[in-house]
Amino acid sequence: MPRGRYSLHDPHDHTPLGEEHFHCAPGPSGWRYVSQRTTPSGDHAGSVDLALDELGRPIRLELHAAAWQVRGAALDGVTWVRTDPSGTHATEGNVRAHAFAGGSPAFLVATSRLLRLTPQSPTTRVRLVTFTDPVLAPRTIDQSWSLLKSEAHATDNGPLIVDEYQVSALDTGEQHNIHIAGDVVLAAPGIELESLESPPSTFPVP
């Protein structure tokens, strides 16, 4: 069960946004990621609880940030309920999308798991509903993903397979690369892996 810490920063001006302390693990029904987020000063900033089924679809999502809460799942696309800080009003949303996205590294692992690309796969388009920090406002985005290469790196625990993806935002054309090993993001815009107590878990080869 990988357990570690990511540092988060603004991908454009590198302003520190805080840290995400996480643990994750594959299980008999898929994969689960749980984390607590802190501000740069160390105060609690929110949490992420994401569970995927064996196909990589989100079967449960729970986000907390700035007293806002979102609960969601894959249902007729993706469906969610967002609750305001007072708890008196809740709004429900549904979009014909493939999965969820957001500021947590968990969503990058989840999308890569859903797509299951190989270096021979064509560039694949995916529609996601992202929840923007800090008020978890929903927004539908379209991306294209391609797996550029998979490389084995020698470690004390045996070879570690690192996948390099190119992700493009279809509305702006902006491209960036992300590096994922198993169920851990090694590097991505705005995300740095600072510590990892155990090796990443591996998923079955598609």
Side-chain angles (χ1 to χ4, degrees):
M1 177 186 293
R3 182 183 300 269
R5 174 173 56 89
Y6 293 108
S7 64
L8 308 176
H9 58 268
D10 187 294
H12 302 292
D13 63 14
H14 303 290
T15 301
L17 300 177
E19 294 185 335
E20 187 161 326
H21 300 256
F22 73 95
H23 62 272
C24 56
S29 61
W31 181 72
R32 187 180 180 195
Y33 177 101
V34 177
S35 70
Q36 299 290 325
R37 303 184 75 174
T38 58
T39 66
S41 61
D43 295 329
H44 179 71
S47 62
V48 179
D49 189 341
L50 174 65
L52 309 180
D53 67 10
E54 67 277 6
L55 297 178
R57 298 171 299 193
I59 55 176
R60 187 183 71 256
L61 170 67
E62 185 170 328
L63 299 176
H64 293 266
W68 293 89
Q69 175 180 297
V70 166
R71 295 176 184 267
L75 182 65
D76 295 327
V78 294
T79 299
W80 68 92
V81 174
R82 176 175 176 263
T83 305
D84 64 294
S86 69
T88 57
H89 302 284
T91 56
E92 183 173 328
N94 172 263
V95 171
R96 289 286 182 179
H98 299 93
F100 296 111
S104 172
F107 295 111
L108 297 178
V109 175
T111 303
S112 70
R113 182 65 182 149
L114 177 71
L115 299 179
R116 301 186 186 215
L117 301 176
T118 69
Q120 292 74 40
S121 299
T123 298
T124 300
R125 177 172 175 158
V126 60
R127 172 161 289 182
L128 305 168
V129 173
T130 184
F131 296 99
T132 58
D133 295 325
V135 296
L136 303 181
R139 184 167 63 93
T140 303
I141 60 174
D142 292 297
Q143 296 179 336
S144 67
W145 281 60
S146 59
L147 178 57
L148 300 181
K149 59 184 177 181
S150 295
E151 291 185 337
H153 296 261
T155 71
D156 294 339
N157 298 297
L160 180 68
I161 306 300
V162 177
D163 295 326
E164 181 180 358
Y165 294 89
Q166 184 176 81
V167 181
S168 302
L170 296 184
D171 56 346
T172 64
E174 182 179 5
Q175 292 185 336
H176 59 268
N177 289 9
I178 63 173
H179 296 80
I180 297 177
D183 57 356
V184 172
V185 177
L186 301 182
I191 298 168
E192 294 292 340
L193 179 65
E194 299 291 349
S195 66
L196 187 63
E197 296 179 9
S198 57
S201 301
T202 57
F203 292 114
V205 176

